[in-house]
Amino acid sequence: MRGQRRRVSFLFVVLLSLVLDTGVGAQAPAPAAVTAIRAGRLLDPEAGRILTNQIILVEGTRIREVGPAVAIPPGAQVIDLSGMTVMPGLVEAHNHLALTYKPVPENNVYYFTYVQESTALRAIQAASNGIQMLASGFTIVRDMGNNGNYADTALRQAIEQGWIPGPTIINSGIIIGGMGGQFFPTPEMAKDHNIVYPEYLDADTADEIVKAVRQNVLFGAKVIKICVDCKPYGYTVDEIRLVMREAAKAGMKVEGHVQTLNGARNAIEAGIWSIAHSGALTDEMHKLMAQKGVWRAGTETPPGLAGHPVSAEAYKRTVDGLKNAYENKVPLTFSTDADYWVEGKTRGELCLEFIKPWQDAGIPNADTLRAMTINGYKVSETENSRGPIKPGFFADLIAMPGNPLDDLEALKSVQFVMKNGQVFKRDGVMTPAAFFHAGPVNGWRIR
Ligand SMILES: [Zn+2]
């Protein structure tokens, strides 16, 4: 009885302190550290030009000043990148950080990965993949589903709360689709064992669609991803609009996985935010996408990745499609659909192999770099706070010896990475120690 009362009053105090979590007792914040970066060349992807001998002043997590004659305050830490090209961080607009299928034991069939690897294991893999992406200069990643039971949300929270280093994550939660998602399960596995969930969230009726969107919002998604046409029943224009309306209540946009011409037509007519995969995107669809401003996350796979062969014909279609999209002025993002392991490459190095189709499509380097930066910030909806190297923006920037405007291959030699004003990689070596904390230093309320 007494013990119970004590427990009740303890619970009351805990609840009260949760409600009143006002930060009382916290020390007054120390003045933010100032870092001055000497940039020999500063790439401005918006203008497609290089400025020389610039100084970037970073205060705390943000950029304070940029220019050729910025005064360096006494006591500022100076980082000398005068022999390098400094540019804003890269964006990968379609990845699956909590999925890595492999040649052994699953013969690159992700069905088996899903059965064999727990969400907990996949969340840890995601943490590692995120670090690998950041090391290659990707400061923002859109993580578009197939992440078990919300490992993508856990990854985003861990990075935002300050547990681990990683890119800014824009995650979709579970992919919403008609019955079965992208799986083709047996009746036993689907009906008796519910095997489709949590890799996909079945939503066939209007009520189910609304609930599915709400579930993803509740469990930490920042964008909604649907299978538009993974099954013959697919989604109609009205159903896609229903998803969009429900997502919009939470301020979210919708990406559609599209693999058929009819699916593409429906998604574009509905005015969807972005379309993933390029297989169904014809010249006519590209013209409609350009007209409506629908983002294209084409996920163009290059040839030559060990274990992931692309036939010459398929690659030609990929390159021709990308070229056609460019010529039609479709808004383009850089996207890979990376969800597998190629031996000898980090997830970041793997993603940078995907610049090849852009080179082969004859797209000017300046425009590919725009897709990898400016357009990436827009499709991720960070363009007013994160991305551009401008005063007031979060200090996310990278540097490399070469000049990617002359040769995109320079992107494969990123030597320096700063995220939120903290140095993550310097002289080609990761220095993540400053990112690791034994608690949610940025706040447990970040969900
Ligand atoms: Zn994908």
CSV table of all heavy atoms in Angstrom, one decimal, residues 19-50:
chain,number,residue,atom,x,y,z
A,19,VAL,N,6.0,17.2,-18.3
A,19,VAL,CA,5.2,18.3,-18.8
A,19,VAL,C,5.9,19.6,-18.7
A,19,VAL,O,5.8,20.5,-19.5
A,19,VAL,CB,3.9,18.4,-17.9
A,19,VAL,CG1,3.1,19.6,-18.2
A,19,VAL,CG2,3.1,17.1,-18.2
A,20,LEU,N,6.7,19.7,-17.6
A,20,LEU,CA,7.4,21.0,-17.3
A,20,LEU,C,8.8,21.0,-17.8
A,20,LEU,O,9.7,21.7,-17.3
A,20,LEU,CB,7.4,21.3,-15.8
A,20,LEU,CG,6.0,21.4,-15.1
A,20,LEU,CD1,6.2,21.6,-13.6
A,20,LEU,CD2,5.2,22.6,-15.7
A,21,ASP,N,9.1,20.2,-18.8
A,21,ASP,CA,10.5,20.1,-19.3
A,21,ASP,C,10.9,21.5,-19.9
A,21,ASP,O,10.9,21.7,-21.1
A,21,ASP,CB,10.6,19.0,-20.3
A,21,ASP,CG,12.0,18.9,-20.8
A,21,ASP,OD1,12.9,19.1,-20.0
A,21,ASP,OD2,12.2,18.5,-22.0
A,22,THR,N,11.3,22.4,-19.0
A,22,THR,CA,11.5,23.7,-19.5
A,22,THR,C,13.0,24.0,-19.7
A,22,THR,O,13.4,25.1,-20.0
A,22,THR,CB,11.0,24.7,-18.5
A,22,THR,OG1,11.6,24.4,-17.2
A,22,THR,CG2,9.5,24.7,-18.4
A,23,GLY,N,13.8,23.0,-19.4
A,23,GLY,CA,15.3,23.2,-19.6
A,23,GLY,C,15.8,23.9,-18.3
A,23,GLY,O,17.0,24.3,-18.3
A,24,VAL,N,15.0,24.0,-17.2
A,24,VAL,CA,15.6,24.6,-16.0
A,24,VAL,C,16.7,23.7,-15.5
A,24,VAL,O,16.6,22.5,-15.5
A,24,VAL,CB,14.4,24.7,-15.0
A,24,VAL,CG1,15.0,25.2,-13.6
A,24,VAL,CG2,13.4,25.7,-15.4
A,25,GLY,N,17.8,24.3,-15.1
A,25,GLY,CA,18.9,23.5,-14.6
A,25,GLY,C,19.9,23.4,-15.6
A,25,GLY,O,21.1,23.0,-15.3
A,26,ALA,N,19.6,23.6,-16.9
A,26,ALA,CA,20.6,23.5,-17.9
A,26,ALA,C,21.5,24.8,-17.8
A,26,ALA,O,21.1,25.8,-17.4
A,26,ALA,CB,19.9,23.5,-19.3
A,27,GLN,N,22.8,24.6,-18.1
A,27,GLN,CA,23.7,25.7,-18.1
A,27,GLN,C,23.4,26.7,-19.2
A,27,GLN,O,22.8,26.3,-20.2
A,27,GLN,CB,25.1,25.2,-18.3
A,27,GLN,CG,25.6,24.2,-17.3
A,27,GLN,CD,25.8,24.7,-15.9
A,27,GLN,OE1,26.3,25.8,-15.7
A,27,GLN,NE2,25.3,24.1,-14.9
A,28,ALA,N,23.7,27.9,-18.9
A,28,ALA,CA,23.6,28.9,-20.0
A,28,ALA,C,24.5,28.4,-21.2
A,28,ALA,O,25.6,28.0,-20.9
A,28,ALA,CB,24.0,30.3,-19.6
A,29,PRO,N,24.0,28.5,-22.4
A,29,PRO,CA,24.8,27.9,-23.5
A,29,PRO,C,26.1,28.7,-23.7
A,29,PRO,O,26.1,30.0,-23.6
A,29,PRO,CB,23.9,28.1,-24.7
A,29,PRO,CG,22.8,29.0,-24.3
A,29,PRO,CD,22.7,29.0,-22.9
A,30,ALA,N,27.2,28.0,-23.9
A,30,ALA,CA,28.4,28.7,-24.2
A,30,ALA,C,28.3,29.4,-25.5
A,30,ALA,O,27.6,28.9,-26.4
A,30,ALA,CB,29.5,27.6,-24.2
A,31,PRO,N,29.1,30.5,-25.7
A,31,PRO,CA,29.0,31.1,-27.0
A,31,PRO,C,29.5,30.1,-28.1
A,31,PRO,O,30.4,29.4,-27.9
A,31,PRO,CB,30.0,32.3,-26.9
A,31,PRO,CG,30.8,32.0,-25.6
A,31,PRO,CD,30.0,31.1,-24.8
A,32,ALA,N,28.7,30.2,-29.2
A,32,ALA,CA,29.0,29.2,-30.3
A,32,ALA,C,30.4,29.4,-30.8
A,32,ALA,O,30.8,30.5,-31.0
A,32,ALA,CB,27.9,29.3,-31.4
A,33,ALA,N,31.1,28.3,-31.1
A,33,ALA,CA,32.4,28.3,-31.6
A,33,ALA,C,32.3,28.9,-33.0
A,33,ALA,O,31.4,28.6,-33.8
A,33,ALA,CB,33.0,26.9,-31.6
A,34,VAL,N,33.4,29.6,-33.4
A,34,VAL,CA,33.4,30.2,-34.7
A,34,VAL,C,34.6,29.5,-35.5
A,34,VAL,O,35.7,29.3,-35.0
A,34,VAL,CB,33.7,31.7,-34.7
A,34,VAL,CG1,33.9,32.3,-36.1
A,34,VAL,CG2,32.5,32.4,-34.0
A,35,THR,N,34.2,29.1,-36.7
A,35,THR,CA,35.2,28.5,-37.6
A,35,THR,C,35.3,29.3,-38.9
A,35,THR,O,34.2,29.6,-39.4
A,35,THR,CB,34.8,27.0,-37.9
A,35,THR,OG1,34.6,26.3,-36.7
A,35,THR,CG2,35.8,26.3,-38.8
A,36,ALA,N,36.5,29.5,-39.4
A,36,ALA,CA,36.6,30.2,-40.6
A,36,ALA,C,37.2,29.2,-41.6
A,36,ALA,O,38.3,28.6,-41.4
A,36,ALA,CB,37.6,31.4,-40.5
A,37,ILE,N,36.6,29.1,-42.8
A,37,ILE,CA,37.1,28.1,-43.8
A,37,ILE,C,37.6,29.0,-45.0
A,37,ILE,O,36.9,29.8,-45.5
A,37,ILE,CB,35.9,27.2,-44.3
A,37,ILE,CG1,35.4,26.3,-43.1
A,37,ILE,CG2,36.4,26.4,-45.5
A,37,ILE,CD1,34.2,25.6,-43.4
A,38,ARG,N,38.9,28.7,-45.3
A,38,ARG,CA,39.4,29.4,-46.5
A,38,ARG,C,39.2,28.5,-47.7
A,38,ARG,O,39.8,27.4,-47.7
A,38,ARG,CB,40.9,29.6,-46.3
A,38,ARG,CG,41.3,30.6,-45.2
A,38,ARG,CD,42.8,30.8,-45.2
A,38,ARG,NE,43.2,31.7,-44.1
A,38,ARG,CZ,43.1,33.0,-44.2
A,38,ARG,NH1,42.7,33.6,-45.3
A,38,ARG,NH2,43.5,33.8,-43.2
A,39,ALA,N,38.4,28.9,-48.6
A,39,ALA,CA,38.0,28.1,-49.8
A,39,ALA,C,38.8,28.7,-51.0
A,39,ALA,O,38.6,29.8,-51.4
A,39,ALA,CB,36.5,28.2,-50.0
A,40,GLY,N,39.7,27.9,-51.5
A,40,GLY,CA,40.4,28.3,-52.7
A,40,GLY,C,39.5,28.5,-53.8
A,40,GLY,O,39.6,29.5,-54.5
A,41,ARG,N,38.6,27.6,-54.0
A,41,ARG,CA,37.5,27.7,-55.0
A,41,ARG,C,36.2,27.4,-54.3
A,41,ARG,O,36.1,26.5,-53.5
A,41,ARG,CB,37.7,26.8,-56.2
A,41,ARG,CG,39.0,27.0,-57.0
A,41,ARG,CD,39.2,25.9,-58.0
A,41,ARG,NE,39.3,24.6,-57.5
A,41,ARG,CZ,40.5,24.1,-57.0
A,41,ARG,NH1,41.6,24.8,-57.1
A,41,ARG,NH2,40.5,22.9,-56.5
A,42,LEU,N,35.2,28.2,-54.6
A,42,LEU,CA,33.8,28.0,-54.0
A,42,LEU,C,32.9,27.8,-55.1
A,42,LEU,O,32.6,28.7,-55.9
A,42,LEU,CB,33.4,29.1,-53.1
A,42,LEU,CG,32.0,29.0,-52.4
A,42,LEU,CD1,31.9,27.8,-51.5
A,42,LEU,CD2,31.7,30.3,-51.6
A,43,LEU,N,32.3,26.6,-55.2
A,43,LEU,CA,31.4,26.3,-56.3
A,43,LEU,C,29.9,26.7,-55.9
A,43,LEU,O,29.4,26.3,-54.9
A,43,LEU,CB,31.4,24.8,-56.6
A,43,LEU,CG,30.9,24.3,-57.9
A,43,LEU,CD1,31.4,22.9,-58.2
A,43,LEU,CD2,29.4,24.3,-58.0
A,44,ASP,N,29.4,27.6,-56.8
A,44,ASP,CA,28.0,28.0,-56.6
A,44,ASP,C,27.1,27.3,-57.6
A,44,ASP,O,27.1,27.6,-58.8
A,44,ASP,CB,27.9,29.5,-56.8
A,44,ASP,CG,26.5,30.0,-56.7
A,44,ASP,OD1,25.5,29.2,-56.6
A,44,ASP,OD2,26.2,31.2,-56.9
A,45,PRO,N,26.5,26.2,-57.2
A,45,PRO,CA,25.8,25.4,-58.2
A,45,PRO,C,24.6,26.1,-58.9
A,45,PRO,O,24.2,25.9,-60.0
A,45,PRO,CB,25.3,24.2,-57.5
A,45,PRO,CG,25.5,24.4,-56.0
A,45,PRO,CD,26.3,25.7,-55.9
A,46,GLU,N,24.0,27.0,-58.1
A,46,GLU,CA,22.9,27.8,-58.7
A,46,GLU,C,23.3,28.6,-59.9
A,46,GLU,O,22.7,28.5,-61.0
A,46,GLU,CB,22.3,28.7,-57.6
A,46,GLU,CG,20.9,29.2,-58.0
A,46,GLU,CD,20.1,29.5,-56.8
A,46,GLU,OE1,20.7,29.8,-55.7
A,46,GLU,OE2,18.8,29.6,-56.9
A,47,ALA,N,24.4,29.3,-59.8
A,47,ALA,CA,24.9,30.1,-60.9
A,47,ALA,C,25.8,29.3,-61.8
A,47,ALA,O,26.1,29.7,-62.9
A,47,ALA,CB,25.7,31.3,-60.4
A,48,GLY,N,26.2,28.1,-61.4
A,48,GLY,CA,27.1,27.2,-62.2
A,48,GLY,C,28.5,27.9,-62.4
A,48,GLY,O,29.0,27.8,-63.5
A,49,ARG,N,29.0,28.5,-61.3
A,49,ARG,CA,30.3,29.1,-61.5
A,49,ARG,C,31.2,28.9,-60.2
A,49,ARG,O,30.6,28.5,-59.2
A,49,ARG,CB,30.2,30.6,-61.7
A,49,ARG,CG,29.5,31.3,-60.6
A,49,ARG,CD,29.5,32.8,-60.7
A,49,ARG,NE,28.7,33.3,-59.5
A,49,ARG,CZ,28.6,34.5,-59.2
A,49,ARG,NH1,29.1,35.5,-59.9
A,49,ARG,NH2,27.9,34.9,-58.1
A,50,ILE,N,32.4,29.2,-60.4
A,50,ILE,CA,33.4,29.1,-59.3
A,50,ILE,C,33.8,30.5,-58.8
A,50,ILE,O,34.1,31.4,-59.7
A,50,ILE,CB,34.7,28.4,-59.7
A,50,ILE,CG1,34.3,26.9,-60.1
A,50,ILE,CG2,35.8,28.5,-58.7
A,50,ILE,CD1,34.4,25.9,-58.9
